[in-house]
């Protein structure tokens, strides 16, 4: 099982905290009413976790909150239109599982880089078209 570390979620939560504090601090009445629910909501989003698992015949994507599943998606090889691999930032790889029906699954910043290699092997094993960007091929060569 691979864990995804979203880089935007902590940044968004930080910005919301600062902006929210500034707005609430301007009015003392508003601050006393909204400060606890506002920061409680931000803290609750801090415990959202994303997981991805590759079995021999299915890809599993899971979003959990405090260890309880919020969303479970099982994708079989017949449902996959294409696997796209690209570069997410200077040195990070990214993959997108494009499905025939439904939203694509973005796999950006897997904690274990071997997950991308296993996903490529899964695609080759099941005859799924694989597309790699030029930048991704450079990352494969050097990192």
């Amino acid at each position: 099982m691979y864990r995804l570390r979203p880089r935007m979620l902590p940044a968004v939560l930080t910005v919301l905290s600062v902006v929210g504090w500034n707005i609430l601090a301007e009015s003392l009445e508003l601050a006393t009413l909204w400060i606890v629910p506002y920061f409680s909501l931000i803290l609750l989003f801090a415990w959202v976790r994303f997981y991805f698992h590759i079995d021999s015949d299915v890809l599993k994507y899971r979003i959990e909150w405090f260890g309880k599943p919020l969303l479970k998606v099982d994708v079989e090889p017949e449902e996959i239109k294409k696997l796209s691999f690209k570069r997410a930032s200077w040195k990070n790889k990214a993959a997108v599982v494009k499905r025939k029906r439904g939203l694509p699954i973005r796999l950006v910043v897997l904690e274990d880089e071997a997950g991308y290699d296993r996903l490529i092997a899964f695609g080759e094993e099941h005859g799924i078209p694989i597309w790699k960007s030029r930048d991704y091929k450079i990352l494969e060569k050097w990192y």
Side-chain angles (χ1 to χ4, degrees), residues 88-136:
S89 64
W90 180 255
K91 192 180 165 184
N92 294 326
K93 297 176 181 179
V96 178
V97 178
K98 294 190 179 182
R99 304 183 321 174
K100 293 179 182 173
R101 287 182 298 149
L103 295 172
I105 298 172
R106 294 190 54 192
L107 305 172
V108 182
V109 193
L110 284 175
E111 279 188 349
D112 186 9
E113 292 279 328
Y116 297 112
D117 298 331
R118 286 213 43 216
L119 189 59
I120 291 171
F122 178 86
E124 290 172 349
E125 179 182 331
H126 294 287
I128 300 169
I130 296 172
W131 178 81
K132 296 179 186 177
S133 71
R134 193 178 112 240
D135 290 337
Y136 185 85

Side-chain angles (χ1 to χ4, degrees), residues 40-136:
S40 298
L41 185 64
I42 289 176
L43 282 175
L44 290 177
F45 277 111
W47 278 281
V48 174
R49 301 288 182 252
F50 301 87
Y51 296 99
F52 180 68
H53 185 70
I54 303 171
D55 279 339
S56 61
D57 58 345
V58 69
L59 300 177
K60 296 178 181 183
Y61 181 72
R62 214 171 60 207
I63 300 175
E64 291 184 356
W65 181 61
F66 282 112
K68 306 238 190 265
L70 287 178
L71 175 70
K72 284 183 179 179
V73 178
D74 293 343
V75 182
E76 296 186 12
E78 298 83 32
E79 299 175 32
I80 301 173
K81 186 190 324 182
K82 176 171 72 167
L83 296 173
S84 299
F85 294 89
K86 25 184 139 171
R87 188 171 85 178
S89 64
W90 180 255
K91 192 180 165 184
N92 294 326
K93 297 176 181 179
V96 178
V97 178
K98 294 190 179 182
R99 304 183 321 174
K100 293 179 182 173
R101 287 182 298 149
L103 295 172
I105 298 172
R106 294 190 54 192
L107 305 172
V108 182
V109 193
L110 284 175
E111 279 188 349
D112 186 9
E113 292 279 328
Y116 297 112
D117 298 331
R118 286 213 43 216
L119 189 59
I120 291 171
F122 178 86
E124 290 172 349
E125 179 182 331
H126 294 287
I128 300 169
I130 296 172
W131 178 81
K132 296 179 186 177
S133 71
R134 193 178 112 240
D135 290 337
Y136 185 85

